[in-house]
Amino acid sequence: MKILFTGFEPFGPHAYNPSTTVAESASQTAGASFRLLPVNFETARAAGEYSGRYDGVVHVGLAAATDWVRIERFAHNLRMCADQPGQENDPDQVVPLALDGPLALDSPFPLDQLKRELSVEWDVRHSRDAGTYVCNATYYWSLRHAFDKRVVFIHVPAWEPEQARRFGHSLGMSVLNCLC
């Protein structure tokens, strides 16, 4: 089984992005592939295109405003108008990612099983809104291009590297249990 874990580069005010450490640790634990993604909408679309080459894809992003792990259930066909975090962006001014796409896509990944497994050690909750920035766009394009594959997006808090590594190990083991 071919599995891909992705994490993002630092962006905006975040000099360190724990999603990279989580995804790298998870990929090592699971014997899977790892990819570091720049934070931009072009990369999000490209990530969707190569997601179809894998049996399972786990995207990990930073949700600095939360202190729990968010397993995203849906990706929405929406994006903010500004290209960078911190730029002026009117939340009422969002545009579709794809003019010909559905408003939302639901993940076929066994999300409930993943939540149960990770909740043994971590505070994990389901989320129905991955936002309107690059995380959501990456998830949307991946689900759209790999609709018959198991794709999930997980947002993690602004953890220090050691905690991110520990969660990454738990994530890698749990993904293997869910997909194999």
Side-chain angles (χ1 to χ4, degrees), residues 80-91 93:
M80 61 191 258
C81 295
D83 287 331
Q84 298 295 322
Q87 285 181 334
E88 286 300 314
N89 189 58
D90 181 349
Q93 295 291 319

Side-chain angles (χ1 to χ4, degrees), residues 39-146:
V39 181
N40 61 58
F41 286 103
E42 294 77 28
T43 299
R45 190 172 187 139
E49 292 172 7
Y50 63 70
S51 290
R53 300 179 200 153
Y54 295 88
D55 301 306
V57 179
V58 180
H59 297 297
V60 183
L62 172 62
T66 63
D67 59 356
W68 62 87
V69 176
R70 291 173 29 194
I71 297 176
E72 304 298 347
R73 185 166 294 279
F74 300 103
H76 296 94
N77 186 7
L78 298 170
R79 68 162 273 189
M80 61 191 258
C81 295
D83 287 331
Q84 298 295 322
Q87 285 181 334
E88 286 300 314
N89 189 58
D90 181 349
D92 295 326
Q93 295 291 319
V94 293
V95 296
L97 288 163
L99 294 176
D100 63 343
L103 183 58
L105 295 170
D106 191 359
S107 175
F109 201 95
L111 302 176
D112 292 333
Q113 180 184 354
L114 183 61
K115 181 182 181 287
R116 274 192 311 276
E117 294 217 6
L118 290 171
S119 291
V120 170
E121 186 178 353
W122 304 92
D123 185 2
V124 180
R125 303 175 196 180
H126 287 297
S127 170
R128 293 188 177 112
D129 186 358
T132 57
Y133 193 51
V134 173
C135 292
N136 176 70
T138 301
Y139 199 20
Y140 184 85
W141 288 115
S142 293
L143 286 170
R144 183 157 178 188
H145 287 284

